[in-house]
Amino acid sequence: MEKKVRRIYPLSEPGTTYFLQIVWEKDLGTGFDVILTDGQSAWSGRVPKEEISREAADMEMEQKKYVEELRKVFLTEGIPSNIYNFDISKEGTNGDCLHFSYEKKLRDLSFRLGSLKLQRIPSPTEVISKLISCCLDFIVGLHAKNEHLQRENEILLNDLNEVQDQLQKCVEAKEELETELYKKFILVLNEKKAKIRNLQKCLKEAEETAVKATQ
Amino acid sequence: MEKKVRRIYPLSEPGTTYFLQIVWEKDLGTGFDVILTDGQSAWSGRVPKEEISREAADMEMEQKKYVEELRKVFLTEGIPSNIYNFDISKEGTNGDCLHFSYEKKLRDLSFRLGSLKLQRIPSPTEVISKLISCCLDFIVGLHAKNEHLQRENEILLNDLNEVQDQLQKCVEAKEELETELYKKFILVLNEKKAKIRNLQKCLKEAEETAVKATQ
Amino acid sequence: SPETKQHFAREYDCYGDSYTADVGVAQLKEVFSRMNDLE
């Protein structure tokens, strides 16, 4: 079961912060539970799978695309508020029933993405307490992920420094190898050259001797 | 101003989750505000700087160490519950006043770290709403940090792969250099050896000629 | 023996590389590695 809490600012009560908790199984398209609270009262309702299909059909939108829109409306924090609007209207004597709607704005047009009736929860303490706990659990999870990423970061940084050291050493080793080989090669080559000079000297002398002897 | 929300399970109401919000300026030792709520009612109070000094003195604990203890009690989520205990006792007609205490357990001993009186907040909606918002802001901040770490991870991973490629190339270049140099050395060296062989042959012939001519 | 010494001195340079026999990679590496010891 997945849960997500986000803030909404209903068009009819722009100054009031409401908290929307969406609870769903794996896929939002299989339906989801809605809890709305202002921090004191709370209302709940459910959007069943059939409702989702009907809404998608009404809007002549492919079901998958419609569910993707719902994901953006409900599950994405930080979406610029000028894209999705929420509104509520309390009905019944003391607002026991609340009509909750959500819509998408396209330039100066806005079309309703869906709506549902929410029933007031008589004793909201537990629901609000669970909503706050849901946020705190989310924070613990994010902290854990943060620490994991932090550790991964440190490991990567160590690996990177190590490989950079190895690369530095390899470049130096290559330069040393080149210097070393040339140095040794010159020594061995110059031995041959000395031998050649010596042989040429001997040959010259031998030839002179032969010439003299012949004369 | 810093804020932190955490769950506590008072000894006298083990089955009830309370949420403790601590609000403080830079250093906890300069005093902090406490808000306690069960999701429906809320109480608030403040621990002033003087109180902190007095508590530290009573416990003959260095102020710095005492404040460090307070940080662990109030600001560290996930601390094993067997280290710090919280307790509340409601006073007054309908629990308008609440005595909140916190203690540290050492083996089978536990000593009180501090306590304070909290006053019920007449209309807790806004306080609870702000507490939930504080959690959601924290989540947004952690998400942002997560994304930053994620991006850093990707950059480090790319850098690591790149440097590993460079190292691989450097190792191959070093091996090629060695092969290349030996190939060239051998060509030059064997040229000289051929020359030496030829000179030795000429010298041998010249010496034979000289000997014959002398005879 | 002095003769052997003379023979080697005639056939090989002071690094142990033959004056006349063609050299291959392995031998040259051998000669170079011996030069380390000489150093």
Side-chain angles (χ1 to χ4, degrees):
Chain A
M1 180 171 69
E2 315 244 355
K3 288 184 179 180
K4 178 81 180 167
V5 176
R6 61 161 300 166
R7 272 170 285 220
I8 64 167
Y9 306 94
L11 292 175
S12 53
E13 294 183 42
T16 311
T17 307
Y18 279 79
F19 302 96
L20 186 65
Q21 179 173 10
I22 304 289
V23 182
W24 74 100
E25 295 304 331
K26 275 190 287 306
D27 165 21
L28 204 61
T30 57
F32 53 92
D33 292 315
V34 176
I35 287 174
L36 189 70
T37 177
D38 59 2
Q40 193 64 191
S41 310
W43 296 266
S44 68
R46 176 170 175 75
V47 175
K49 182 178 165 63
E50 304 67 37
E51 176 71 16
I52 291 175
S53 314
R54 195 174 33 257
E55 285 286 1
D58 286 358
M59 296 167 68
E60 292 166 22
M61 194 188 273
E62 194 201 333
Q63 161 112 357
K64 204 162 154 259
K65 198 166 173 324
Y66 178 67
V67 171
E68 191 41 43
E69 282 297 330
L70 293 180
R71 289 188 68 81
K72 284 186 201 155
V73 182
F74 294 127
L75 309 185
T76 318
E77 183 79 52
I79 280 244
S81 57
N82 60 354
I83 294 194
Y84 295 104
N85 273 337
F86 299 92
D87 208 356
I88 59 174
S89 62
K90 287 170 186 159
E91 293 155 12
T93 42
N94 54 358
D96 280 352
C97 186
L98 184 146
H99 188 260
F100 171 61
S101 61
Y102 38 101
E103 60 181 28
K104 180 169 184 175
K105 280 194 301 183
L106 280 179
R107 283 181 290 286
D108 46 3
L109 254 185
S110 55
F111 61 94
R112 201 175 55 80
L113 274 172
S115 67
L116 72 151
K117 273 202 187 320
L118 300 176
Q119 298 302 326
R120 177 191 286 278
I121 297 171
S123 58
T125 309
E126 196 185 337
V127 163
I128 295 174
S129 173
K130 284 206 171 119
L131 183 140
I132 300 172
S133 275
C134 165
C135 295
L136 292 177
D137 291 338
F138 210 66
I139 287 172
V140 169
L142 281 171
H143 261 307
K145 198 169 165 210
N146 251 332
E147 276 160 22
H148 169 71
L149 284 168
Q150 201 82 39
R151 265 196 311 280
E152 237 181 34
N153 246 337
E154 279 149 26
I155 292 167
L156 281 170
L157 209 50
N158 286 339
D159 291 353
L160 181 60
N161 291 334
E162 203 179 299
V163 174
Q164 276 168 336
D165 283 351
Q166 286 173 26
L167 176 59
Q168 182 56 30
K169 285 193 178 82
C170 180
V171 168
E172 287 161 7
K174 181 165 168 281
E175 284 156 8
E176 275 160 32
L177 172 77
E178 189 166 11
T179 311
E180 198 63 21
L181 288 181
Y182 271 116
K183 200 171 82 182
K184 288 175 179 172
F185 174 60
I186 283 164
L187 288 172
V188 174
L189 187 59
N190 287 345
E191 282 295 307
K192 305 301 170 301
K193 290 187 174 181
K195 180 77 175 176
I196 287 170
R197 280 197 299 278
N198 180 31
L199 283 170
Q200 282 169 341
K201 186 164 147 293
C202 297
L203 180 60
K204 193 159 169 285
E205 284 162 5
E207 280 165 349
E208 280 161 3
T209 313
V211 165
K212 271 188 204 129
T214 312
Q215 278 162 359
Chain B
M1 180 170 70
E2 314 243 356
K3 287 184 180 181
K4 178 80 179 169
V5 176
R6 60 161 300 165
R7 272 169 286 219
I8 64 167
Y9 306 95
L11 291 175
S12 53
E13 295 182 42
T16 311
T17 306
Y18 279 80
F19 302 97
L20 185 66
Q21 178 172 12
I22 304 291
V23 182
W24 74 101
E25 296 303 331
K26 274 189 287 307
D27 165 22
L28 205 60
T30 56
F32 53 91
D33 292 316
V34 176
I35 286 175
L36 189 70
T37 178
D38 60 1
Q40 192 65 189
S41 308
W43 295 266
S44 68
R46 175 170 176 77
V47 175
K49 183 177 162 65
E50 304 68 36
E51 176 71 16
I52 292 175
S53 314
R54 195 172 36 256
E55 286 287 358
D58 288 357
M59 296 168 67
E60 291 165 21
M61 195 189 273
E62 194 201 331
Q63 161 111 354
K64 204 163 150 246
K65 198 166 174 324
Y66 178 67
V67 171
E68 191 42 42
E69 282 298 329
L70 293 180
R71 289 188 67 78
K72 283 185 203 155
V73 182
F74 294 127
L75 309 185
T76 318
E77 184 78 52
I79 279 242
S81 58
N82 60 353
I83 294 194
Y84 295 104
N85 273 337
F86 299 92
D87 208 357
I88 59 174
S89 63
K90 286 170 187 159
E91 292 155 11
T93 42
N94 54 356
D96 279 352
C97 185
L98 185 146
H99 187 261
F100 171 60
S101 61
Y102 37 100
E103 61 182 27
K104 179 169 184 176
K105 282 194 301 184
L106 281 179
R107 282 180 291 285
D108 47 2
L109 254 186
S110 55
F111 60 94
R112 200 175 54 81
L113 274 172
S115 66
L116 72 151
K117 273 201 187 319
L118 301 175
Q119 296 303 327
R120 176 190 287 279
I121 298 171
S123 58
T125 309
E126 196 187 337
V127 163
I128 294 173
S129 172
K130 282 203 172 124
L131 183 139
I132 300 173
S133 274
C134 166
C135 295
L136 293 176
D137 292 338
F138 211 65
I139 287 171
V140 170
L142 282 171
H143 262 306
K145 197 169 167 215
N146 248 331
E147 276 158 24
H148 169 72
L149 284 169
Q150 202 83 41
R151 265 196 311 279
E152 241 181 31
N153 251 342
E154 279 149 26
I155 293 168
L156 282 169
L157 210 50
N158 285 339
D159 290 354
L160 182 59
N161 291 334
E162 204 179 298
V163 174
Q164 276 167 336
D165 283 350
Q166 286 173 27
L167 176 59
Q168 183 56 32
K169 285 193 180 79
C170 179
V171 168
E172 286 161 7
K174 181 164 171 280
E175 284 157 8
E176 277 157 31
L177 170 76
E178 188 170 10
T179 310
E180 204 52 32
L181 284 179
Y182 272 108
K183 213 158 70 180
K184 288 174 182 163
F185 288 168
I186 279 163
L187 287 175
V188 173
L189 214 40
N190 287 341
E191 271 294 302
K192 296 296 178 252
K193 292 175 182 232
K195 177 117 181 112
I196 289 170
R197 286 196 299 275
N198 182 37
L199 281 170
Q200 281 177 344
K201 186 164 147 288
C202 297
L203 180 58
K204 194 157 170 283
E205 285 160 6
E207 279 166 348
E208 280 160 5
T209 313
V211 163
K212 274 187 204 127
T214 314
Q215 279 162 359
Chain C
S1 71
E3 292 71 32
T4 316
K5 220 173 176 177
Q6 220 173 22
H7 166 71
F8 273 101
R10 221 182 16 257
E11 289 302 315
Y12 293 87
D13 68 11
C14 65
Y15 302 108
D17 176 40
S18 159
Y19 281 119
T20 53
D22 276 356
V23 72
V25 173
Q27 292 111 311
L28 189 53
K29 282 191 176 177
E30 178 64 29
V31 169
F32 282 178
S33 73
R34 266 204 304 272
M35 289 169 83
N36 291 332
D37 314 343
L38 282 180
E39 251 168 47

